[in-house]
């Protein structure tokens, strides 16, 4: 469908969505987890290669205990509810982040699902859970140094020690909820990502809006630090001219 293969989403606005309806914040997360299921199905239908969802950041521990434990429970519920669908759709499930501090039951469920889907060749579905971009980079550098004490670190070395090295760079980052920042999410992998911010709060986000965003962003020209295709064409047409100029400069004319 498009050049966009890896989409990462900051699913923001759950708390405000609930508060606007005079409900506690956790209602927003509960409603938001139903939207997660819809968007995973859509990503699968669109044949995206990777969908990375920011479900719990390392900073989210400072939220009220009830909210933190609701988010843990929702992850567990999602894995139980969606297990068959994930398996039958050949989806490869991974969690990126420090999962050691999660409840044992949740860790076991995550590991079970990762194990069952490790050979899947469809959509890579990644939940960033207890995840922080800076700590992922520091972790990677430390792991590298431990194994290679005398080697100078390169970009590909750092890539190799990320939580999910196989997912590569993000093509498109969507943030719902009206804020315009990246909040320590995939900061290494987003170096050349297209950004899209929508005012829609996550519980109101629909597959239709998701598809429209992908369509809109697919029309953007991505240059990765290069010049535009148009300019490149112009340049290659005047290659002879440019050779002449180089010759003249070298000859001191
Ligand atoms: C930010 O909204 C959202 C989160 C911190 C968590 C996102 C979690 C879900 C969408 C549900 C979890 C689902 C699964 C399957 C794990 P916010 O609460 O900061 O919203 P606000 O900015 O309106 O306060």
């Amino acid at each position: 469908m498009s050049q966009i293969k890896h989409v990462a989403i900051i699913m923001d606005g759950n708390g405000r969505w609930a508060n606007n309806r005079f409900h506690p914040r956790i209602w927003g997360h509960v409603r938001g987890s139903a939207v997660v299921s819809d968007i995973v199905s859509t990503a699968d239908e669109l044949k995206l290669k990777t969908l990375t969802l920011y479900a719990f950041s390392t900073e989210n521990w400072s939220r009220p205990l009830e909210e933190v434990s609701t988010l843990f429970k929702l992850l567990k519920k999602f894995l139980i509810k969606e297990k068959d669908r994930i398996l039958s759709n050949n989806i490869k499930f991974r969690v990126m982040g420090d999962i050691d501090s999660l409840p044992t039951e949740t860790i076991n469920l995550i590991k079970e699902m990762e194990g069952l889907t490790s050979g899947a060749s469809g959509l890579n579905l990644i939940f960033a859970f207890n995840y922080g971009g800076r700590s992922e980079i520091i972790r990677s550098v430390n792991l590298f140094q431990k194994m290679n004490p005398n080697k100078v670190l390169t970009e590909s070395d750092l890539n190799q020690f990320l939580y999910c090295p196989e997912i590569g760079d993000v093509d498109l980052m969507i943030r719902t909820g009206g804020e315009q920042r990246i909040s320590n999410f995939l900061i290494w992998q987003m170096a050349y990502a297209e950004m899209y911010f929508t005012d829609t709060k996550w519980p109101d986000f629909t597959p239709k809006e998701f598809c429209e965003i992908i369509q809109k962003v697919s029309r953007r020209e991505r240059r990765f630090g290069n010049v535009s295709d148009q300019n490149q064409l112009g340049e290659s047409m005047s290659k002879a001219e440019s050779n002449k100029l180089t010759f003249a400069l070298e000859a001191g004319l």
Side-chain angles (χ1 to χ4, degrees):
M1 179 191 169
S2 76
Q3 294 302 316
I4 293 172
K5 296 287 171 223
H6 182 179
V7 178
I9 308 184
I10 301 180
M11 308 179 288
D12 196 17
N14 294 344
R16 281 168 288 154
W17 182 90
N19 286 162
N20 290 346
R21 287 158 179 79
F22 307 103
H23 290 311
R25 294 176 50 83
I26 56 171
W27 275 55
H29 297 314
V30 173
R31 171 68 202 140
S33 70
V35 176
V36 170
S37 299
D38 295 345
I39 296 303
V40 170
S41 296
T42 311
D44 192 27
E45 283 159 23
L46 291 175
K47 302 251 174 297
L48 293 183
K49 191 64 211 131
T50 304
L51 178 68
T52 308
L53 301 173
Y54 207 4
F56 190 85
S57 76
T58 42
E59 289 72 35
N60 289 153
W61 287 104
S62 55
R63 295 187 175 211
L65 189 62
E66 190 197 14
E67 186 169 341
V68 171
S69 74
T70 300
L71 290 167
F72 289 178
K73 278 184 205 147
L74 288 173
L75 171 64
K76 207 174 91 183
K77 270 193 166 172
F78 177 91
L79 292 178
I80 295 168
K81 187 174 125 240
E82 299 293 340
K83 181 175 175 181
D84 290 346
R85 203 152 60 104
I86 288 176
L87 294 177
S88 61
N89 288 320
N90 197 22
I91 293 174
K92 183 171 180 170
F93 177 80
R94 294 286 305 274
V95 168
M96 67 193 317
D98 176 12
I99 62 166
D100 292 344
S101 38
L102 304 184
T104 316
E105 206 189 341
T106 313
I107 298 176
N108 292 341
L109 268 173
I110 292 171
K111 291 200 167 144
E112 186 199 359
M113 189 64 95
E114 287 184 339
L116 286 171
T117 64
S118 64
S121 56
L123 174 75
N124 287 314
L125 172 61
I126 322 254
F127 279 1
F129 207 94
N130 198 17
Y131 172 85
R134 285 183 179 174
S135 65
E136 179 181 33
I137 294 171
I138 297 295
R139 174 182 173 273
S140 171
V141 173
N142 286 335
L143 287 172
F144 169 82
Q145 274 176 348
K146 216 171 172 181
M147 292 175 71
N148 306 277
N150 298 314
K151 194 171 170 253
V152 175
L153 178 76
T154 65
E155 285 191 14
S156 72
D157 293 327
L158 196 142
N159 269 320
Q160 235 188 312
F161 289 97
L162 295 173
Y163 284 116
C164 300
E166 71 282 5
I167 62 172
D169 282 356
V170 174
D171 296 308
L172 163 64
M173 192 284 285
I174 301 172
R175 182 177 186 137
T176 61
E179 312 283 1
Q180 302 199 356
R181 48 180 175 264
I182 57 175
S183 302
N184 202 17
F185 185 37
L186 300 172
I187 50 179
W188 176 262
Q189 298 88 335
M190 279 206 234
Y192 283 100
E194 293 295 321
M195 305 276 161
Y196 194 97
F197 301 98
T198 170
D199 288 337
T200 308
K201 294 179 180 63
W202 179 252
D204 285 332
F205 194 65
T206 59
K208 182 171 178 282
E209 183 171 4
F210 185 45
C211 293
E212 283 168 0
I213 292 172
I214 292 180
Q215 237 167 21
K216 254 189 239 171
V217 175
S218 299
R219 289 196 285 268
R220 291 186 192 166
E221 185 192 23
R222 300 180 72 198
R223 292 197 292 274
F224 302 97
N226 202 339
V227 290
S228 71
D229 288 351
Q230 202 57 40
N231 286 341
Q232 281 194 46
L233 188 64
E235 292 216 332
S236 64
M237 282 165 67
S238 61
K239 196 83 183 163
E241 291 297 316
S242 139
N243 285 345
K244 254 194 248 167
L245 182 62
T246 311
F247 177 75
L249 284 170
E250 278 171 3
L253 301 175

